[in-house]
């Protein structure tokens, strides 16, 4: 038995097939890079939103703490200003006497409107948020 030996050990279709593999690889890398770019933009947006929510939460906690501290002070000391050194947020409180009438027509004594304003710098822009609560504070 004679064995036939080919002069060219590679199959005939391999040269054209390797060109297609290279082309498929370029297309796959392009699709992968577009997907990674989209994911990085999503991650950047998520981090920005997380920073905004963190700042808002810090602001709410600071305003709540300032409100609780002001409410326990005597009436004469309730209008004050405080700047928190760690965050740079300035809290200011203003106390105004109000007159609320009951359904019977009488006026409630010693009622005040306490307004807390937080002023802060956000990206070079000065912003402020405020809350307002009614407080019963006897004068004596």
């Amino acid at each position: 038995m004679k064995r036939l030996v080919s002069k060219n050990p590679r199959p005939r279709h391999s040269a054209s097939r390797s060109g297609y593999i290279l082309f498929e690889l370029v297309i796959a890398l392009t699709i992968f890079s577009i997907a990674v770019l989209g994911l990085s933009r999503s991650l950047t947006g998520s981090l920005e939103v997380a920073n905004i929510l963190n700042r808002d939460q810090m602001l709410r906690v600071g305003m709540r703490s300032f409100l609780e501290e002001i409410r326990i002070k005597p009436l004469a000391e309730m209008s004050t200003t405080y700047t928190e050194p760690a965050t740079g947020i300035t809290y200011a409180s203003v106390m105004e006497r109000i007159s609320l009438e009951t359904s019977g027509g009488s006026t409630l004594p010693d009622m005040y409107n306490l307004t807390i304003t937080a002023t802060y710098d956000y990206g070079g822009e000065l912003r402020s948020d405020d809350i307002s609560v009614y407080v019963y504070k006897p004068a004596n």
Side-chain angles (χ1 to χ4, degrees), residues 1 5 11 16 23 34 43 53 65 68 76-77 83 99 116 135:
M1 272 204 176
V5 177
S16 64
F23 183 65
I34 291 171
L43 181 62
L53 291 175
S65 297
E68 292 303 320
E77 298 175 18
T83 301
S99 61
I116 307 272
V135 176

Side-chain angles (χ1 to χ4, degrees), residues 23 27 101 103 128:
F23 183 65
I27 290 175
E101 290 186 15
S103 59
S128 66

Side-chain angles (χ1 to χ4, degrees), residues 55-56 59 63 88-92 115-122 125-131:
R55 181 186 46 82
D56 286 347
L59 185 65
M63 288 177 82
I89 300 173
T90 301
Y91 300 101
T115 303
I116 307 272
T117 303
T119 307
Y120 55 95
D121 181 32
Y122 182 70
E125 180 183 343
L126 197 60
R127 293 187 179 182
S128 66
D129 289 324
D130 60 341
I131 58 172

Side-chain angles (χ1 to χ4, degrees), residues 5 8 16 24 28 32 41 43 47 52 57-58 69-70 75 79 84-85 97 101 103 105-106 123 125 132 134:
V5 177
N8 188 359
S16 64
E24 290 171 353
F32 179 73
R41 285 187 178 176
L43 181 62
L47 290 174
I52 290 170
Q57 177 66 20
M58 183 176 53
E69 287 179 23
I70 294 298
L75 187 61
S79 294
E84 189 174 319
R97 180 180 286 274
E101 290 186 15
S103 59
S106 64
E125 180 183 343
S132 183
Y134 291 132

Side-chain angles (χ1 to χ4, degrees), residues 38-57:
L39 288 174
S40 68
R41 285 187 178 176
S42 297
L43 181 62
T44 303
S46 298
L47 290 174
E48 288 175 6
V49 169
N51 286 336
I52 290 170
L53 291 175
N54 188 24
R55 181 186 46 82
D56 286 347
Q57 177 66 20

